[in-house]
Amino acid sequence: MPGHKRVLLAAPRGYCAGVDRAVIAVEKALERFGAPVYVRKQIVHNIHVVSELEERGAIFVDEVDEVPEGAHVVFSAHGVSPAVVNAAADRHLQAIDATCPLVTKVHREAVRFARDDFEILLIGHEWHEEVEGTAGEAPDHVTVVNSPDEAATVEVRDPSKVVWLSQTTLSVDETMETVRRLRERFPNLQDPPSDDICYATQNRQVAIKKVAKDADLVIVVGSANSSNSVRLVEVALEYGAKAAYRVDYADEIEQAWFDGVETVGVTSGASVPEVLVQQVLDDLRDAGFGDVEEVKTAEEDLMFSLPKELRQDAESRRGGRVSAERSTA
Ligand code: SF4
């Protein structure tokens, strides 16, 4: 209807099971052990979540050598390499592994294929913590492929024994394009046993694709270092949105974005609390976009149990050195 201002609100959006678990893990660690609790890297890539946890006593560090000997440290949802686990154990840190189980699954694939002497082409962004962690499981077997263009230049030792794996938060379409180009060069390229791009990343992309085709403007709530949030902006533009922007907070929205706009699409990355989306909807209502229609493309009910270090009361109470063994949840 011309002249009818509306919002198409993508669903699913926001928190995934892995982020929910990781944030609760820090909260529970603070409750159980008291502040401060150290966290290696941002627990999830969202500045609002990180600053709220800081206010409650979490201290975020880049590396475990910044954590006092024997203190509690939480590993972020993005996962860590065995080198980090060992460094934490060397400092007698009491490690709580909040690595998302779907990232742990990719780690296990890397270990298994390396053991079988495959060369692993890991599609992802080599500066991203998750890729560092996965590659660190088998550094002699992993080569990171950052983009479809790099598929043309990457070299392998034995083209008959190559497998691809990926970061969990990539664009599905772009990753498939990278795989297509890799397979042109390496016809025996083996696929991962199951999707590495996780259900939450895929579901959020499917939803924004449906919204984007009818949207003059798409607003993605999420932080700049959130891979899946940044991908949502790209996917929205690719699937027909006339403009798409990422914001951390509602107050970053610019009035000029609304020029000539009737339909605004809204979504949020997997590390974004719903309260931030509601603040965007409040601002949109004030700008005349009070009619909100949810566009739902999937139901999500996945939940993960807490890291085992927070489940095993008896072991936690025992104190002393706790193994930095990886989560198997
Ligand atoms: S985005 Fe996917 S892989 Fe990352 S924490 Fe969420 S569920 Fe896990």
Side-chain angles (χ1 to χ4, degrees):
M1 193 196 313
H4 175 65
K5 290 182 172 182
R6 62 176 181 160
V7 172
L8 298 179
L9 181 59
R13 64 181 176 279
Y15 265 25
C16 61
V19 163
D20 197 35
R21 172 183 185 261
V23 173
I24 293 173
V26 178
E27 291 169 348
K28 290 267 180 240
L30 283 164
E31 271 171 32
R32 188 167 296 175
F33 309 119
V37 163
Y38 292 82
V39 183
R40 181 186 177 273
K41 308 285 187 191
Q42 292 190 345
I43 185 71
V44 300
H45 285 159
N46 185 266
I47 56 172
H48 177 78
V49 172
V50 167
S51 60
E52 285 219 317
L53 290 172
E54 274 174 339
E55 276 170 28
R56 296 171 65 172
I59 297 178
F60 292 87
V61 296
D62 269 333
E63 287 306 339
V64 292
D65 61 10
E66 297 165 53
V67 181
E69 290 236 351
H72 287 93
V73 65
V74 182
F75 297 146
S76 80
H78 308 100
V80 289
S81 68
V84 172
V85 175
N86 292 337
D90 287 347
R91 291 182 69 72
H92 308 295
L93 302 184
Q94 306 198 55
I96 298 160
D97 189 354
T99 302
C100 175
L102 300 181
V103 173
T104 302
K105 175 190 85 81
V106 185
H107 281 223
R108 291 215 189 93
E109 290 169 357
V111 169
R112 199 188 98 202
F113 283 109
R115 198 172 49 220
D116 293 343
D117 207 25
F118 273 81
E119 188 151 357
I120 299 162
L121 297 178
L122 177 59
I123 302 172
H125 303 123
E126 64 187 339
W127 44 265
H128 193 280
E129 285 136 59
E130 182 189 320
V131 170
E132 279 176 26
T134 307
E137 293 283 1
D140 296 338
H141 287 79
V142 171
T143 304
V144 178
V145 181
N146 282 280
S147 66
D149 288 345
E150 280 196 19
T153 53
V154 66
E155 295 296 339
V156 299
R157 287 187 305 268
D158 177 1
S160 70
K161 219 164 174 196
V162 190
V163 63
W164 70 273
L165 302 178
S166 86
Q167 190 179 332
T168 56
T169 51
L170 300 179
S171 152
V172 174
D173 295 343
E174 188 177 287
T175 303
M176 289 304 115
E177 175 59 16
T178 306
V179 172
R180 190 189 66 74
R181 293 189 195 181
L182 287 171
R183 190 160 277 127
E184 272 177 7
R185 295 185 58 214
F186 313 121
N188 291 328
L189 180 71
Q190 191 162 319
D191 292 322
S194 60
D195 285 349
D196 287 343
I197 298 180
C198 75
Y199 81 99
T201 300
Q202 296 196 35
N203 285 348
R204 281 149 193 68
Q205 287 175 19
V206 169
I208 200 60
K209 283 176 185 176
K210 190 156 184 203
V211 164
K213 66 182 174 52
D214 297 320
D216 304 307
L217 163 69
V218 165
I219 296 173
V220 176
V221 187
S223 287
N225 61 346
S226 162
S227 171
N228 79 90
S229 302
V230 174
R231 301 289 85 75
L232 286 170
V233 174
E234 295 167 358
V235 169
L237 289 169
E238 209 176 311
Y239 276 77
K242 296 194 183 86
Y245 300 98
R246 181 201 55 75
V247 297
D248 268 300
Y249 294 105
D251 63 10
E252 293 164 29
I253 295 172
E254 296 177 19
Q255 286 309 307
W257 296 353
F258 297 121
D259 286 350
V261 167
E262 290 186 355
T263 301
V264 182
V266 174
T267 188
S268 56
S271 46
V272 178
E274 182 65 8
V275 63
L276 300 181
V277 176
Q278 291 306 321
Q279 287 167 5
V280 166
L281 294 178
D282 288 348
D283 278 25
L284 286 172
R285 190 189 54 232
D286 293 346
F289 295 87
D291 177 7
V292 179
E293 183 188 326
E294 190 168 71
V295 177
K296 182 177 267 190
T297 52
E299 294 282 351
E300 290 182 348
D301 54 11
L302 186 64
M303 287 172 72
F304 296 128
S305 53
L306 281 175
K308 67 180 186 311
E309 301 84 357
L310 294 167
R311 274 185 269 142
Q312 294 169 353
D313 282 349
E315 184 165 328
S316 297
R317 276 198 298 270
R318 212 181 298 145
R321 180 173 171 170
V322 174
S323 154
E325 187 190 337
R326 316 298 298 280
S327 167
T328 54

